[in-house]
Amino acid sequence: MKPTNEQAMELLKVCQDLTQMYLPIYLVRLDERTTRIYILAGQSFEVEILPNGRVKYL
Amino acid sequence: MTKANFQGMTKQELRAYVLKHRDDREAFYALTDKLREEPGIEITSTEQMHELIEARLDEADARDAYKVLEEIAELGTTPLEDIKRELGI
């Protein structure tokens, strides 16, 4: 399963922003059931990227 | 081996479990299911994301600092309230 183009672009931006703030990224994974991308950075920063490219900070 | 009870875990425990067992699909799904119970905040700009992260980091710093203060207060004879008054917090 692949991410959508919008999702892939946002993923790059989010990862760039996180590392810009010196946050280590521990996990990046596509949830095959919901097709959302999950990112875990630092101790507890969780970000989800929806298939339409919308970004949710949790 | 018995399967871990993902539903009974806190989000922190589940996160730690997923980081240790990266091939465990069920654990990862349990974690993302848990996240969907929270509303979350939609990010529309890099600046907004920076602000949110800064705020969360400040919160964590404040929590750590408070914990240290409490520990110091327990060690000495000065009550925590006095230390706080002295530091103006």
Side-chain angles (χ1 to χ4, degrees), chain B residues 53-67:
Chain B
I53 290 174
E54 290 284 3
R56 186 88 76 90
L57 287 173
D58 286 348
E59 257 173 51
D61 279 350
R63 259 201 314 274
D64 288 347
Y66 199 83
K67 227 175 110 192

Side-chain angles (χ1 to χ4, degrees), chain A:
Chain A
M1 183 174 270
K2 282 184 183 172
T4 64
N5 285 343
E6 291 85 356
Q7 229 174 349
M9 284 305 294
E10 284 304 322
L11 175 65
L12 177 66
K13 264 168 49 187
V14 168
C15 287
Q16 192 174 313
D17 287 346
L18 290 168
T19 55
Q20 184 73 30
M21 297 195 76
Y22 299 101
L23 284 175
I25 296 172
Y26 291 120
L27 190 66
V28 176
R29 195 158 165 182
L30 185 70
D31 186 333
E32 298 88 353
R33 304 166 311 163
T34 57
T35 63
R36 292 176 176 206
I37 293 174
Y38 170 87
I39 302 160
L40 173 63
Q43 289 300 304
S44 61
F45 298 103
E46 291 170 312
V47 181
E48 265 195 329
I49 305 174
L50 279 54
N52 60 9
R54 277 165 59 190
V55 180
K56 260 176 82 186
Y57 175 88
L58 304 152

Side-chain angles (χ1 to χ4, degrees), chain B:
Chain B
M1 196 185 102
T2 50
K3 268 270 167 206
N5 171 23
F6 302 134
Q7 263 66 39
M9 287 185 186
T10 64
K11 204 168 86 167
Q12 285 74 16
E13 288 167 343
L14 198 48
R15 223 159 27 204
Y17 185 94
V18 169
L19 286 179
K20 272 194 196 143
H21 305 83
R22 299 196 183 217
D23 295 330
D24 194 332
R25 224 170 252 228
E26 231 178 279
F28 175 65
Y29 291 161
L31 177 63
T32 53
D33 283 346
K34 230 182 234 300
L35 292 179
R36 216 140 302 125
E37 292 165 10
E38 298 169 13
I41 301 166
E42 186 161 345
I43 305 269
T44 49
S45 70
T46 302
E47 292 73 29
Q48 186 198 358
M49 181 150 170
H50 278 227
E51 279 166 23
L52 282 169
I53 290 174
E54 290 284 3
R56 186 88 76 90
L57 287 173
D58 286 348
E59 257 173 51
D61 279 350
R63 259 201 314 274
D64 288 347
Y66 199 83
K67 227 175 110 192
V68 170
L69 272 184
E70 276 181 337
E71 278 166 18
I72 292 171
E74 274 170 28
L75 288 176
T77 48
T78 317
L80 178 60
E81 290 311 314
D82 290 355
I83 296 174
K84 276 161 68 177
R85 204 172 312 123
E86 226 164 275
L87 293 172
I89 53 172

